[in-house]
Amino acid sequence: GNKKSARRMATPAPVDETVSDLVTRYEEHKSQLEQVGQLLRAKPGDPTLMKLYDDLKKVVELTEDLKKTQEEKKASEVNVGDRCEAVWSEDGKWYTARIDAKDPESKHFSVTFLVYGNAGQVAPENIRPYRHARKSQVRVGMEVRAYYETDGLFYPATVETITSGGLYRVAFRGYNYKVELPLTDILPIKQANDDAMPEKAVIPEHLKIKSTDNDKQKDLKKKKIKAIKSKFRKRKAEMVTEKKKNNWKQFLNGGKKKLKALKNKKRSIFASPDSVDGRVGVVGSGKAMTNFHDRTRHTFDGADPQQEMQLP
């Protein structure tokens, strides 16, 4: 019954549970709260369900407050010039970014997304710590995205060597330029949201031209907008090229696997012979193949050859 279902659910977290534990179990507690709510609608007024619902609701609300506090604390620790991960407003997903400015009134951040070159305004709760590539993603011969000091963005590159000092020597794709970088300046080539790249560049709100702008402000904004669009087109072209390259690699690898499978495939003992003279035999039986004689007319002793049996 409903009481049994309620009892099977995990009890709310104890008071002394750590903040990280509460945050980790947040989705679990939310799901349990919804389930108990459904049970209460089916059996309103049940004291056991009502008590469990109230307890779970308090835990969920407490966790939400703790999460908000944590996010605000992290955001307050971020400084202008720091790398981070930020949510892009167009699709609600996380991307590697750099903090360019902070509005003291709204507390929002101006950021540049370091893979695609877009810029945007981000709320404090949509900022989280920067994450670089793992060592397993940066080995000799691997494709990565490497930091280019001139503009501060990340570009496709190939890892050539790993120095004795632990630096990674990379060659930028399409450019005659090589550099040694620490692991913190390298991202994996495949971004989690690569397939979600927008159709056109997003212009941040502070760069949009307003009627109150003077000619100098308008010209400056136009130049910055042009630069953003140019970088975006370049990133999109790189993505298309990378996707085609990966598709071709997958096609070739698939063909090699199929060819290898065909070579290793064992021939069936019941397979049809390759020629009219072929014979079907039992492999491994120790017996020779069945020996068939040529089909000819049979001549009966003393019979007239003209009256021999005719084959159909």
Side-chain angles (χ1 to χ4, degrees), residues 81-285:
D82 287 351
R83 290 179 196 155
C84 64
E85 287 189 356
V87 173
W88 189 48
S89 59
E90 293 293 313
D91 62 11
K93 295 183 179 179
W94 294 90
Y95 297 89
T96 303
R98 180 188 64 232
I99 305 292
D100 295 329
K102 183 178 180 180
D103 189 319
E105 293 183 6
S106 68
K107 305 297 182 183
H108 281 48
F109 295 95
S110 296
V111 304
T112 297
F113 294 97
L114 299 180
V115 172
Y116 304 120
N118 281 351
Q121 298 288 317
V122 183
E125 62 268 22
N126 289 332
I127 297 286
R128 70 184 185 191
Y130 166 70
R131 291 184 296 178
H132 55 76
R134 302 186 302 274
K135 284 187 177 181
S136 60
Q137 296 172 312
V138 191
R139 293 174 181 163
V140 174
M142 280 188 169
E143 298 289 313
V144 296
R145 289 188 184 273
Y147 173 66
Y148 182 53
E149 189 177 9
T150 302
D151 61 9
L153 302 182
F154 286 76
Y155 294 87
T158 303
V159 180
E160 290 193 334
T161 57
I162 302 174
T163 69
S164 57
L167 296 177
Y168 297 82
R169 183 172 178 79
V170 300
F172 287 90
R173 188 192 306 163
Y175 300 92
N176 186 25
Y177 182 69
K178 300 179 181 181
V179 67
E180 291 181 358
L181 297 171
L183 188 62
T184 52
D185 283 345
I186 298 175
L187 297 174
I189 187 66
K190 177 65 177 175
Q191 299 291 294
N193 301 309
D194 272 353
D195 297 331
M197 193 174 180
E199 288 299 316
K200 59 182 181 179
V202 176
I203 308 303
E205 200 65 36
H206 71 282
L207 285 182
K208 291 180 180 178
I209 297 172
K210 301 174 184 176
S211 57
T212 54
D213 292 338
N214 57 41
D215 290 342
K216 188 176 180 181
Q217 288 173 323
K218 287 179 181 178
D219 288 341
L220 183 61
K221 285 183 177 181
K222 284 178 181 177
K223 286 180 181 178
K224 289 185 176 180
I225 290 171
K226 187 177 180 181
I228 288 172
K229 288 182 176 180
S230 175
K231 288 177 181 178
F232 179 82
R233 284 194 296 271
K234 187 174 181 180
R235 294 297 180 285
K236 194 147 192 178
E238 286 174 353
M239 271 190 61
V240 171
T241 303
E242 185 64 30
K243 194 169 184 180
K244 287 180 179 178
K245 183 179 175 182
N246 289 337
N247 289 342
W248 180 243
K249 280 183 178 178
Q250 288 175 4
F251 173 76
L252 290 177
N253 290 337
K256 288 177 183 177
K257 287 179 182 177
K258 286 180 181 178
L259 184 61
K260 187 177 180 181
L262 285 171
K263 285 181 178 178
N264 295 334
K265 187 177 180 181
K266 292 183 178 179
R267 186 174 176 81
S268 171
I269 62 173
F270 302 108
S272 300
D274 294 329
S275 68
V276 294
D277 297 322
R279 298 288 185 266
V280 177
V282 180
V283 178
S285 66

Side-chain angles (χ1 to χ4, degrees), residues 273 276-281 288-296:
V276 294
D277 297 322
R279 298 288 185 266
V280 177
M289 286 187 173
T290 307
N291 186 24
F292 293 100
H293 297 288
D294 293 336
R295 297 180 70 186
T296 59

